[in-house]
Amino acid sequence: MLDSLRSCYLLLLLFCTQKVVVGWVSSNNVRQPFSTTSASSSGSSSSSNLKMGVSATMRRVRDSVLSKERSRKDLKIGIAGFYDRSSKLWENVWGEHMHHGYYIPADRTDHQQAQVDLIDEVLKWGDVTEATNVVDVGCGIGGSSRHIARKYNCKANGITLSPYQSSRGNELAKEQGLSDTVSFQVADALEMPFSDNSFDLVWSLESGEHMPDKKKFTDELFRVAVPGGRILLVTWCHRDLGEGETSLTKKEVKLLARINRAYYLPKWCSVQDYVDLMKAKGASDIKREDWSYVIAPFWKAVIKSSLNLRSLFGLLKSGFSTIRGAYAMLLMLRGFNTGLIKFGLITCTKPKVSM
Ligand code: SAH
């Protein structure tokens, strides 16, 4: 089964590589590259453009095949593009929440409700009963922000790297009558455009895994929280290292590297690493939990949902990175099943007196 999927993937890779080359050529306005009637100067610049395009594409394909880690700059551009391209398809199939669902009991089939329940259950787990001003760090198209704003009758600000997500988030806020209290913008979580001590709830649901500098990310979460404010982080982590272990095994590192290429992720950290970062900030009420078992049925449901004609057609239209993302779902499943990947919840209170 896996082998045949792998062959399909390679075929798609070849197909899409071809598409990328063609796309690159047209986006650089190289018209009629093989025309014999074009002027010689434009002909030579066309052919050098073409060469550059082909070599850039070959480099990308090689890096993909070798699961090479992206530079920070490529990562940031890649994340924005990935969500720009895939969010519409996700919303069509799955709705406004781009995260796992809460599967207790495990056989529930109302997947979109399971996603909403996950937000409520995480808030309950984090002892959040009220909020006045929330920041949603890595907000997608804003499902969490709108839900929390309605739940607590509060304000919410969401940030994302994707211009498509930010404008779609604002559009949905307007449609849902929330444009006075909820808004979205393109901004980097590692340099948030907010003043210190602004929010009493700092919420980050499945975006931490994209952050290339976990310390800077944690520092920013603390900086924008009001003293005594609550920070709630739900993120993909790798397993905690055992005693005497200094790193993951080579096989584990390789699996994560392949997932990273597909989902535009940098190096992972463990839940314990986040706890250590929070301790270093002087946080109180630090609590952690592994909810891998809570979300376990989710990936199977997503894979199943992508096997209908509408999704498959949408997938082909969305391009190579979305198709690769779909393939990587199988790798995620393997990571969860082997205990390498954890669905981590971490919460704490920002100290009243800053350290
Ligand atoms: N929390 C949302 C979306 C999760 S998808 C939801 O549950 O529906 C991950 C999100 O993280 C995307 O919106 C992506 O743009 C955002 N993201 C990744 N890196 C980011 C960064 N450096 N700064 C801001 N947002 C980032």
Side-chain angles (χ1 to χ4, degrees):
M1 168 74 176
L2 262 182
D3 278 339
S4 60
L5 276 167
R6 215 167 274 148
S7 329
C8 286
Y9 174 62
L10 283 174
L11 277 174
L12 283 169
L13 184 81
L14 284 172
F15 166 71
C16 296
T17 306
Q18 190 191 0
K19 272 187 72 156
V20 173
V21 177
V22 172
W24 190 92
V25 169
S26 60
S27 72
N28 283 278
N29 280 329
V30 183
R31 289 193 202 102
Q32 303 171 327
F34 304 114
S35 162
T36 48
T37 54
S38 54
S40 63
S41 63
S42 80
S44 70
S45 81
S46 294
S47 78
S48 73
N49 278 349
L50 183 63
K51 262 190 215 150
M52 272 165 56
V54 170
S55 74
T57 304
M58 293 311 288
R59 184 168 43 81
R60 270 207 298 273
V61 171
R62 189 199 57 210
D63 290 351
S64 265
V65 171
L66 299 176
S67 305
K68 193 166 172 251
E69 194 179 339
R70 290 183 177 84
S71 70
R72 282 211 186 175
K73 189 173 154 225
D74 285 351
L75 186 67
K76 202 166 158 181
I77 297 169
I79 292 170
F82 177 66
Y83 286 107
D84 276 350
R85 287 188 299 275
S86 61
S87 295
K88 189 164 183 223
L89 172 64
W90 180 273
E91 189 188 349
N92 285 343
V93 181
W94 275 82
E96 62 184 328
H97 298 282
M98 308 181 74
H99 56 83
H100 287 81
Y102 185 81
Y103 286 91
I104 293 183
D107 60 354
R108 65 186 299 188
T109 50
D110 47 350
H111 303 298
Q112 294 193 11
Q113 187 57 45
Q115 289 177 308
V116 175
D117 291 350
L118 185 95
I119 300 176
D120 288 334
E121 293 296 333
V122 168
L123 289 165
K124 202 193 291 175
W125 176 85
D127 296 324
V128 180
T129 51
E130 57 182 3
T132 55
N133 201 7
V134 180
V135 62
D136 184 358
V137 184
C139 62
I141 56 171
S144 292
S145 297
R146 288 184 298 273
H147 181 73
I148 294 173
R150 266 192 298 263
K151 187 178 173 98
Y152 298 127
N153 195 18
C154 66
K155 286 205 283 186
N157 277 273
I159 61 164
T160 167
L161 289 180
S162 152
Y164 173 85
Q165 289 189 329
S166 150
S167 67
R168 182 67 188 139
N170 284 321
E171 205 172 85
L172 287 169
K174 199 168 167 197
E175 273 172 28
Q176 297 175 16
L178 290 166
S179 48
D180 287 344
T181 47
V182 179
S183 73
F184 302 96
Q185 61 185 297
V186 174
D188 190 343
L190 301 183
E191 262 174 295
M192 288 198 246
F194 305 119
S195 321
D196 300 358
N197 311 325
S198 297
F199 303 98
D200 55 356
L201 177 59
V202 176
W203 172 264
S204 171
L205 176 55
E206 297 190 47
S207 68
E209 53 272 24
H210 283 296
M211 308 301 164
D213 184 340
K214 310 295 186 205
K215 180 175 182 312
K216 180 85 175 93
F217 174 50
T218 312
D219 286 349
E220 277 295 273
L221 300 179
F222 273 78
R223 183 184 68 74
V224 299
V226 296
R230 182 126 286 252
I231 296 166
L232 247 175
L233 180 60
V234 180
T235 183
W236 308 356
C237 289
H238 67 60
R239 64 176 176 81
D240 286 345
L241 296 182
E243 251 193 55
E245 251 186 328
T246 52
S247 66
L248 297 173
T249 66
K250 271 194 182 147
K251 212 169 149 192
E252 289 174 325
V253 170
K254 211 167 148 191
L255 179 67
L256 293 184
R258 287 165 73 196
I259 293 173
N260 292 353
R261 274 312 289 188
Y263 292 142
Y264 296 87
L265 306 177
K267 276 211 170 70
W268 296 44
C269 73
S270 66
V271 171
Q272 187 57 44
D273 290 331
Y274 274 118
V275 169
D276 292 343
L277 286 168
M278 288 180 177
K279 276 188 187 156
K281 301 291 298 177
S284 55
D285 311 324
I286 303 177
K287 191 158 100 165
R288 59 170 284 177
E289 207 159 317
D290 172 11
W291 275 20
S292 305
Y293 71 99
V294 170
I295 54 97
F298 178 81
W299 286 95
K300 279 180 221 144
V302 179
I303 291 168
K304 210 166 144 200
S305 84
S306 64
L307 294 179
N308 67 52
L309 266 183
R310 188 165 137 238
S311 305
L312 285 174
F313 184 64
L315 205 56
L316 283 172
K317 264 191 8 191
S318 304
F320 170 58
S321 61
T322 311
I323 295 167
R324 183 176 53 187
Y327 165 73
M329 292 192 287
L330 298 171
L331 304 178
M332 285 296 292
L333 204 56
R334 195 189 308 165
F336 275 118
N337 287 342
T338 56
L340 165 64
I341 299 180
K342 302 289 180 190
F343 191 78
L345 272 64
I346 310 116
T347 189
C348 69
T349 305
K350 175 172 167 173
K352 288 246 160 71
V353 183
S354 62
M355 293 192 50

